[in-house]
Amino acid sequence: MKIRFNQPEQRIPNDDRGIRIQYGEARRPIRPWRWYLILIVSSLPLLYLIGLVLQEMLIVKAGGRITVPHIIVRASIDGYVKQVFVKSLHTVAGGEELAILENLPLEDSFQRLITEINFLNEEKNKRQRQSGNTTSQSMSLLKFAQEQEKFYQNRLHQYESLFKQGAATQAEVASARNQYHGALENLVLNERSQRRDQGFPTDTLQMASRISQLSLELEQIKDQKKQLFIKSPADGLITELFVQPGEYLGKGQPFLDIIFPEKAHISAFIPPKYQDYVVVDQIVTVTLPNGETAKARISSIPGVTQKSPVDGINLLEYPRSAILVHMEFINPVKTQLINGTPVDIRFPFFSDRADRSR
């Protein structure tokens, strides 16, 4: 059996068996760029994912926050606010007086001690003049003890003045105060020895002991009175006053808040995978929220980790541990630095890799 296949007839769209068919023109011509547009739009998610992968591979970025140091100045002693010398948004210098407190019981005790010490000294001098029986050796020791007492008293005042100017430490002031108290105790012992040699009666010795005890109490009250003057710990800007004149301020209660804009720095949160980039003196680029960029360098690495800020991650991510790094601006920025402002940090990827390869 033979099977024969005929070649199918070649058809022409505009010709049907020799009859020409007239088709109407399309309402709008087919434009190929529309298909390309549809293809591009449908490929956008894929392109976005590819861009994220390339960015993750080529750009080393991290988040951070502006940190402006601040101190809450608190009262060291109870008292009513007698006078305030500053206002909010006022710039103060280190050691500048901010306010004066008033403590009436402390002032009464101070005046009472001065009156009692003056009275006892007059009585003691009167009885010393009446006695007239002195020993040269005890007098020389007593004179030396008096000179030592004056010397250490002047030294204490000198260290207190230097402490106000920031040229002495609190430990040096405390050491000078202890030496002064030791000189007072030595003076008391020499006075007792001198009176014993002179044959002073018991009431005179008790009077001298009472004067020494009151003198020590008076020094303590003087130290407390100095704490009534609230002073600025350093140069800064006052952001908020918590009390007004006439209000009561308890010990440890906050008086005002001072910030130090000149000491502002960046607290950066570096992912652990970028640990190799965390090097002291590394230069980075910081982008502020308003778009301004500035150069900064890594000043210190505390060596601790903490949770990354929640508002600095995506909704699908969770807070992770990040390396805490402190950075300082190399040059001043035009934007006002506000505590807690988020910033973006970019590391020099290629230059850093080149440095590490060398």
Side-chain angles (χ1 to χ4, degrees):
M1 179 178 179
K2 294 182 180 181
I3 301 175
R4 183 179 181 183
F5 296 93
N6 294 327
Q7 185 177 3
E9 181 181 0
Q10 185 178 3
R11 297 184 178 180
I12 301 176
N14 296 333
D15 190 358
D16 186 11
R17 300 178 183 180
I19 302 176
R20 185 174 180 80
I21 301 175
Q22 298 293 334
Y23 289 98
E25 295 183 358
R27 294 185 178 179
R28 58 180 180 179
I30 300 177
R31 298 179 181 178
W33 63 266
R34 295 178 179 175
W35 298 103
Y36 295 125
L37 180 60
I38 295 174
L39 181 60
I40 293 174
V41 171
S42 60
S43 303
L44 284 179
L46 180 60
L47 296 176
Y48 177 73
L49 293 177
I50 295 175
L52 289 179
V53 173
L54 293 176
Q55 181 180 1
E56 186 72 16
M57 294 174 58
L58 301 178
I59 300 178
V60 180
K61 296 180 63 177
R65 289 185 177 277
I66 300 296
T67 301
V68 181
H70 72 99
I71 293 179
I72 297 179
V73 179
R74 302 177 183 272
S76 302
I77 192 173
D78 301 337
Y80 288 92
V81 181
K82 182 178 180 181
Q83 190 174 1
V84 179
F85 303 109
V86 293
K87 298 180 181 180
S88 296
L89 304 180
H90 180 76
T91 302
V92 294
E96 180 180 348
E97 290 188 359
L98 305 176
I100 299 178
L101 303 182
E102 186 177 25
N103 190 316
L104 294 180
L106 188 64
E107 186 66 27
D108 294 341
S109 300
F110 178 76
Q111 296 297 333
R112 177 183 59 80
L113 288 175
I114 290 181
T115 303
E116 188 172 356
I117 290 174
N118 291 335
F119 174 76
L120 292 177
N121 281 325
E122 291 178 0
E123 289 293 323
K124 181 190 67 174
N125 295 332
K126 184 185 298 184
R127 297 189 182 189
Q128 285 179 347
R129 288 192 298 268
Q130 292 176 355
S131 175
N133 183 19
T134 60
T135 303
S136 59
Q137 183 177 3
S138 61
M139 284 297 297
S140 60
L141 292 176
L142 178 61
K143 183 179 296 185
F144 177 75
Q146 291 174 348
E147 293 176 355
Q148 287 291 102
E149 187 269 339
K150 292 181 180 179
F151 171 76
Y152 284 112
Q153 185 180 16
N154 294 332
R155 186 179 183 183
L156 174 60
H157 293 163
Q158 182 180 4
Y159 272 102
E160 289 177 347
S161 177
L162 293 175
F163 178 74
K164 294 178 181 180
Q165 301 174 6
T169 62
Q170 189 172 4
E172 292 175 341
V173 176
S175 177
R177 185 177 292 108
N178 292 333
Q179 292 176 350
Y180 174 65
H181 291 168
L184 283 177
E185 294 176 357
N186 187 31
L187 178 61
V188 171
L189 294 177
N190 282 276
E191 287 180 347
R192 289 179 180 177
S193 176
Q194 194 260 351
R195 291 188 183 91
R196 184 174 61 252
D197 295 340
Q198 291 178 346
F200 284 168
T202 305
D203 57 348
T204 304
L205 297 178
Q206 292 177 350
M207 186 181 301
S209 177
R210 178 62 177 170
I211 291 175
S212 300
Q213 181 181 359
L214 293 177
S215 298
L216 292 176
E217 294 180 4
L218 183 62
E219 288 297 325
Q220 294 177 355
I221 291 181
K222 286 182 179 180
D223 293 338
Q224 293 178 353
K225 287 192 63 178
K226 292 178 180 179
Q227 297 177 3
L228 294 174
F229 296 86
I230 301 178
K231 298 182 179 181
S232 173
D235 300 345
L237 177 66
I238 298 176
T239 58
E240 185 176 3
L241 284 171
F242 301 111
V243 294
Q244 298 297 329
E247 297 183 5
Y248 181 79
L249 195 62
K251 182 179 181 179
Q253 184 177 350
F255 171 62
L256 52 79
D257 188 15
I258 299 180
I259 64 173
F260 308 100
E262 296 181 355
K263 299 181 180 180
H265 61 276
I266 303 171
S267 297
F269 310 98
I270 312 300
K273 61 182 178 180
Y274 297 143
Q275 183 176 359
D276 294 340
Y277 295 87
V278 181
V279 181
V280 176
D281 292 334
Q282 172 68 59
I283 305 300
V284 299
T285 302
V286 180
T287 304
L288 300 173
N290 62 352
E292 181 182 359
T293 59
K295 295 293 183 180
R297 69 175 186 89
I298 297 179
S299 58
S300 63
I301 305 172
V304 297
T305 60
Q306 65 182 40
K307 294 294 183 180
S308 56
V310 179
D311 54 355
I313 60 178
N314 298 328
L315 296 177
L316 300 179
E317 297 180 351
Y318 60 92
R320 300 179 180 178
S321 296
I323 303 174
L324 178 62
V325 178
H326 292 164
M327 301 180 179
E328 296 179 351
F329 287 103
I330 297 178
N331 297 318
V333 296
K334 299 179 181 179
T335 305
Q336 182 181 2
L337 300 179
I338 302 176
N339 189 35
T341 303
V343 296
D344 292 329
I345 300 169
R346 180 174 298 182
F347 288 83
F349 177 78
F350 294 103
S351 60
D352 189 72
R353 288 188 61 184
D355 294 339
R356 291 205 306 272
S357 63
R358 289 195 296 268

